[in-house]
Amino acid sequence: MVPPLLEVTGLSCRRGGRLVFDRLSFALGEGELLALTGRNGSGKTSLLRALAGLTPPHAGTIAWQGMDIAEDPETWRGRLAWLGHLEGLKGDLTVMENLVFAERLRGGEAGDRLEWALVALDLIGLSAREVRTLSAGQRRRTALARIVLSQAPLWLLDEPLNALDAPAQAAFRTALQRHLAAGGLAIAATHADLGIEGAQRLDLRAGTTADSLA
């Protein structure tokens, strides 16, 4: 049996003094997607932030290939791509400049992958536009292109389909399928079907212990 790449054990999180979830455990291997569902306030974003190392958990461990991520947080951050509710883009830079800048922050160069990311999210015609001039959906597509470009093995996505029209949603689902087919992992908080057959699902219920996969 192939061991999981990502293993979460007994994870608990507090927010504002309230226990959001408690004793949460799951594991993911190559090519697997975990969809986080539940009502607003159930802890989906808190879980993603804990996985990203942005919020320390109250208890429990997060391990990648058997090693606790707390032992080397810098290396861990290099293994993941994060998409929050805010796009994290610079409004005075163009779409292309934002993507190039993001890759340089990661310590790499976009190279030939830049054009592929622009095509994947239908951004070629917008590549020279400053982000501040874009619609909400266009900004979301730019942020998703940054995720696609990153080549990070783990994608952490908070409502990735927000503000996207039907063609853009389809384009993202295709990019996600390609990432998973290449052995990548993804964890996404979502109220919508991401269109991935066989995806795991974790329903976080506010005020209850969430410790099983459905």
Side-chain angles (χ1 to χ4, degrees), residues 33-98:
L33 165 70
L34 176 62
L36 306 178
T37 62
R39 299 181 63 182
N40 292 341
S42 61
K44 301 186 298 296
T45 297
S46 295
L47 174 55
L48 288 174
R49 290 182 60 84
L51 292 170
L54 299 174
T55 303
H58 176 66
T61 60
I62 303 166
W64 179 264
Q65 294 182 312
M67 179 176 291
D68 191 332
I69 67 167
E71 295 181 15
D72 190 355
E74 191 65 30
T75 297
W76 173 242
R77 283 190 287 271
R79 291 189 173 118
L80 59 89
W82 163 262
L83 175 74
H85 283 291
L86 300 177
E87 281 73 29
L89 303 170
K90 292 186 174 294
D92 57 343
L93 297 182
T94 67
V95 168
M96 184 176 293
E97 288 169 343
N98 265 282

Side-chain angles (χ1 to χ4, degrees), residues 96-110:
M96 184 176 293
E97 288 169 343
N98 265 282
L99 297 180
V100 170
F101 178 70
E103 275 303 279
R104 287 178 178 169
L105 281 180
R106 294 183 65 87
E109 295 293 334

Side-chain angles (χ1 to χ4, degrees), residues 22 32 55 65 70-71 75 80 86 90 109 115 119 127-128 132 142 167 169-170 181 184 187 190 200 211:
D22 190 26
E32 292 190 312
T55 303
Q65 294 182 312
E71 295 181 15
T75 297
L80 59 89
L86 300 177
K90 292 186 174 294
E109 295 293 334
E115 183 175 0
V119 170
S127 62
R132 61 181 174 80
T142 302
Q169 290 186 21
I187 301 176
T190 180
Q200 297 190 53
D211 58 2

Side-chain angles (χ1 to χ4, degrees), residues 6 30 35 37 43 47 53 63 66 73 75 92 102 117 144 149 162 186-187 191-192 195 212:
L6 177 68
E30 289 186 0
T37 62
L47 174 55
T75 297
D92 57 343
L144 288 168
L149 184 62
N162 272 2
I187 301 176
H191 287 94
S212 63

